[in-house]
Amino acid sequence: MSNAHLTRRTLLAGATAVAVGAATGTARAAEVPTLWEEFRRSPVTHPQIPYVGRAGYRGGATRFPRPRVVADVTDFGAVPDGSTDCAPAINRAVAAAGRAGGGTVTIPPGTFRIDDVIRIGDSGVVLRGAGSGRTTLYATKSLTELIGVYGSRYGGDKSSWSWAGGLLWLAPRARWDALVAAIKDRAWPFEGWTGNRRDEWTTLTTVAPARRGEGTLTVADPARLRPGRLVLLRLADDPAHTLLQHMAGGGPGPAAYSWDDKTKLTSYVPYEWPVRITRVHGHRVTLERPLPLDVRPEWDPRLTTHVPELTGSGVQGLTLEAVQTPQSPHLLDKGYNGVVLQCAYDCWVDDVTVRHVDNGFGLVAASACTLSRTRVAGRGSHHPYFCREGSHDNLIEDFTIEERTVPAPAGTQLHGINVEGLSSHNVWSRGDMRMGTFDSHRGLPFANVRTDITVNNDGRHGGDASAGPLFGARFTHWNIRVVNGRAGLMKIDGLAPYSATVGINAVTEFGQIDVPDFTGDLHSRLELYGTTDAVRPRNLYEAQRALR
């Protein structure tokens, strides 16, 4: 994605905002909302706006590393002729970089056919093309063909390739091997940080009570903790579901909600939050991010191990184009999927386009990763972006979802920028969505931010009823330009508890219309309604990062 494209998109967004203001008669001078002034006074504990100022790779680093070049795929037999299967050569080059302890694998300009998954399974390995307009990986087969049918662990005839896996797949080598083995055995796995059956962890230490927003924990035994170590903060729910209530903001509405029958939601608990330790001083342990939730004794809080993470790896400067096939009926995707990060921490994707895919860019149990200058194009996707299975603290910025190039086949669905499955503190910033919606796919995602985005709101959200609420607490939509005036999932003050909608043009309910999951006062806020781009700061994430 070039600077010229960014300039055109910015100008388009500005023109859209002016047009909306002119049409509604509500154009305003720049205004600072009360919510921002409140947030500045208590940035890590505000009741409606989450603190996301450290989201993304290395706490929101603006530059990605450029490790030394250790291999070029052509030296391993890759040929940019568009017809030779180059997947074995590319995977050999990537594996060699892993054995070398990391480094960059380059792909020169041209079209490289791939008849298999490209796997990055070692930390510190970067796959770098010559630019998304110059290097293309042309994928000819689906994940169903390459790995096998992937059923849902929740039953039915759904294909899990509808929300999992990528033809360019970044995941720790052992984790990827275990997942593929389980799929081939039809033992449909959990996909997160603690293994296929969620039992691959041990306790490092128990944790004393603490409050959301604190940056230091008191632990019972610091012996196995050290600066730089990645650990999981693990919180289990109690029989009264007070942890889930806390994620929803607490109070009478969440207390009255029926949690017991939400079996898909309860399968996501315990809540697992990966975080690096920055300091150990006696029994006091400092974390690199503030706590996302309270830590209470009734939730059996502890720091645990997890499967070895993938860290410091990335993909840059290429297009992944799948052979063009008709989009499959809803939830029956074959797995012509794009780029997925799984059990990854401090990894990134930059200047990457995916085309003609079932699902575009995925974060699956991935945390502290950045997707920058990414684009979904071609015949139309089920999930252009998906963020699920407990993915936290990720940043998706300067992203584009293009208009589909062919009409949507009957029986298909379009979502958009998806978040689900207790995922929290993720940010979508500076987006150009020419189709899709702000898809909160149930599963009680909480404390996520969408900011400075232009959207033609023509998608629908999904989510099984057993997955529970659409929103938890502290969802924020800030400076959103809805070009077709559709309210659904944009203006959320009537849907999301303890949340905020700030700086959105006037919108109307039509199409898919939702009712709140929780009864009573939602304690949600609405400011600068009926305008866009008047709100200051214009981009909530950038303003929070500047406060650090």
Side-chain angles (χ1 to χ4, degrees):
M1 189 183 303
S2 67
N3 288 335
H5 168 77
L6 289 175
T7 301
R8 289 195 300 271
R9 180 172 61 73
T10 302
L11 290 173
L12 174 63
T16 300
V18 170
V20 169
T24 60
T26 53
R28 301 181 188 178
E31 295 184 49
V32 177
T34 302
L35 274 163
W36 176 248
E37 298 296 351
E38 292 175 0
F39 179 84
R40 291 183 65 186
R41 292 193 291 270
S42 57
V44 296
T45 58
H46 193 275
Q48 278 91 13
I49 298 177
Y51 177 72
V52 293
R54 297 193 60 81
Y57 168 80
R58 295 289 185 184
T62 57
R63 293 185 179 182
F64 305 115
R66 294 180 66 87
R68 65 187 180 93
V69 175
V70 296
D72 187 285
V73 299
T74 58
D75 294 334
F76 288 77
V79 181
D81 60 5
S83 59
T84 302
D85 176 18
C86 298
I90 295 172
N91 281 324
R92 286 196 297 269
V94 170
R99 290 193 298 272
T104 297
V105 175
T106 56
I107 313 178
T111 297
F112 296 80
R113 172 174 168 162
I114 55 171
D115 295 347
D116 200 356
V117 179
I118 302 302
R119 305 178 301 277
I120 298 179
D122 295 297
S123 292
V125 174
V126 177
L127 184 64
R128 189 174 76 219
S132 60
R134 302 182 67 201
T135 296
T136 296
L137 302 181
Y138 180 65
T140 64
K141 295 183 179 180
S142 69
L143 293 167
T144 298
E145 296 172 273
L146 296 172
I147 295 174
V149 171
Y150 187 4
S152 169
R153 67 178 185 252
Y154 301 105
D157 61 355
K158 302 172 184 176
S159 167
S160 285
W161 297 129
S162 299
W163 56 78
L167 292 168
L168 210 171
W169 200 332
L170 289 77
R173 183 182 303 277
R175 188 75 187 98
W176 192 87
D177 289 344
L179 285 165
V180 169
I183 293 165
K184 290 182 175 180
D185 288 343
R186 295 180 174 259
W188 314 132
F190 285 90
E191 299 158 281
W193 284 100
T194 49
N196 292 347
R197 295 182 297 183
R198 298 196 74 180
D199 59 358
E200 296 177 39
W201 60 275
T202 58
T203 297
L204 295 170
T205 181
T206 56
V207 178
R211 299 297 299 272
R212 176 173 69 90
E214 293 182 7
T216 302
L217 292 173
T218 300
V219 301
D221 181 6
R224 288 184 286 178
L225 307 179
R226 66 180 186 280
R229 180 168 187 172
L230 185 70
V231 297
L232 290 186
L233 172 64
R234 193 171 194 269
L235 302 176
D237 206 2
D238 60 7
H241 298 297
T242 60
L243 176 59
L244 294 176
Q245 292 180 43
H246 178 56
M247 292 175 179
Y257 184 78
S258 175
W259 300 98
D260 284 326
D261 60 342
K262 306 304 186 295
T263 52
K264 188 172 184 178
L265 172 62
T266 54
S267 76
Y268 298 143
V269 182
Y271 175 79
E272 295 167 339
W273 181 60
V275 65
R276 286 200 195 279
I277 294 170
T278 61
R279 185 170 185 263
V280 179
H281 183 70
H283 289 262
R284 299 284 285 169
V285 176
T286 303
L287 309 175
E288 67 176 342
R289 288 178 175 83
L291 289 172
L293 295 167
D294 288 353
V295 173
R296 301 180 186 173
E298 56 266 35
W299 302 332
D300 189 25
R302 56 189 63 219
L303 299 181
T304 76
T305 63
H306 49 82
V307 299
E309 71 271 18
L310 184 74
T311 190
S313 295
V315 180
Q316 296 176 298
L318 58 83
T319 289
L320 174 63
E321 180 175 336
V323 58
Q324 188 167 350
T325 59
Q327 187 176 346
S328 296
H330 190 223
L331 300 179
L332 297 178
D333 293 341
K334 298 293 192 299
Y336 291 102
N337 295 347
V339 182
V340 166
L341 287 75
Q342 186 162 5
C343 297
Y345 196 94
D346 279 335
C347 292
W348 73 92
V349 177
D350 178 48
D351 182 27
V352 172
T353 294
V354 296
R355 183 174 289 117
H356 303 320
V357 293
D358 292 338
N359 301 281
F361 293 90
L363 296 159
V364 181
S367 292
C369 296
T370 294
L371 308 184
S372 178
R373 302 189 298 161
T374 55
R375 178 183 292 261
V376 180
R379 51 88 155 154
S381 302
H382 177 198
H383 295 96
Y385 291 82
F386 56 97
C387 177
R388 51 178 294 272
E389 205 78 10
S391 290
H392 313 293
D393 304 301
N394 297 294
L395 171 64
I396 302 93
E397 64 179 356
D398 295 318
F399 65 95
T400 300
I401 302 174
E402 293 188 0
E403 294 180 36
R404 63 191 318 134
T405 54
V406 297
T412 62
Q413 279 200 22
L414 164 68
H415 298 309
I417 50 174
N418 154 272
V419 62
E420 59 182 290
L422 302 185
S423 296
S424 67
H425 296 84
N426 301 290
V427 178
W428 292 261
S429 171
R430 297 196 305 264
D432 179 6
M433 295 177 59
R434 301 167 198 174
M435 64 178 191
T437 194
F438 289 1
D439 171 32
S440 294
H441 224 68
R442 301 196 179 274
L444 199 66
F446 66 94
N448 298 286
V449 167
R450 285 121 170 194
T451 183
D452 194 8
I453 298 170
T454 300
V455 54
N456 180 39
N457 184 25
D458 63 352
R460 297 171 62 87
H461 77 74
D464 191 280
S466 67
L470 279 169
F471 300 98
R474 296 181 302 285
F475 246 86
T476 300
H477 291 173
W478 187 285
N479 192 19
I480 306 300
R481 302 167 290 273
V482 188
V483 300
N484 62 342
R486 177 174 169 236
L489 299 178
M490 304 287 134
K491 181 177 178 289
I492 57 173
D493 56 298
L495 288 175
Y498 287 94
S499 292
T501 306
V502 180
I504 180 173
N505 53 277
V507 290
T508 304
E509 290 282 10
F510 61 89
Q512 186 180 48
I513 300 174
D514 290 293
V515 298
D517 293 290
F518 304 110
T519 57
D521 187 352
L522 295 179
H523 301 281
S524 200
R525 304 274 293 274
L526 177 67
E527 279 198 72
L528 295 184
Y529 178 58
T531 188
T532 57
D533 290 319
V535 59
R536 293 294 183 272
R538 189 174 191 271
N539 186 295
L540 179 62
Y541 166 70
E542 292 174 358
Q544 288 198 21
R545 187 165 62 184
L547 290 179
R548 295 185 341 200

